[in-house]
């Protein structure tokens, strides 16, 4: 709460969700989560595990081979 009063936006980087507990522990303190995933490393089904106390605010898809 102290940081919320001081800053407009706070970004917290954690280890990948599911591999370590960091993200699950921090999630209740966050307003939303931005997932970064690789094209061939994840499926959209991981969004089904989102917690109601930390909604998905966005997804960044990296390693994209566009045309």
């Amino acid at each position: 709460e102290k940081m919320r009063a001081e800053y407009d936006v706070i970004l917290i980087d954690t280890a990948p969700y599911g591999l370590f507990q960091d993200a699950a522990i921090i999630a209740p303190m966050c307003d939303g989560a931005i997932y970064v995933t690789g094209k061939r490393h994840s499926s959209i089904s991981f969004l089904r595990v989102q917690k109601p106390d930390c909604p998905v605010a966005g997804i960044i898809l990296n390693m994209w081979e566009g045309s």
Side-chain angles (χ1 to χ4, degrees), residues 1-64:
E1 294 303 320
K2 186 177 181 181
M3 291 178 69
R4 284 180 191 264
E6 185 115 3
Y7 302 100
D8 294 329
V9 177
I10 302 167
L11 297 176
I12 301 170
D13 186 20
T14 67
Y17 189 83
L19 292 179
F20 301 97
Q21 292 296 315
D22 301 9
I25 292 168
I26 294 172
M29 295 178 263
C30 299
D31 294 327
I34 299 172
Y35 288 95
V36 179
T37 184
K39 179 182 174 188
R40 296 191 176 144
H41 298 286
S42 305
S43 69
I44 202 69
S45 64
F46 73 90
L47 291 177
R48 293 187 185 125
V49 301
Q50 79 175 3
K51 304 289 185 197
D53 54 358
C54 187
V56 174
I59 301 170
I60 298 172
L61 179 62
N62 64 10
M63 293 185 266
W64 179 260

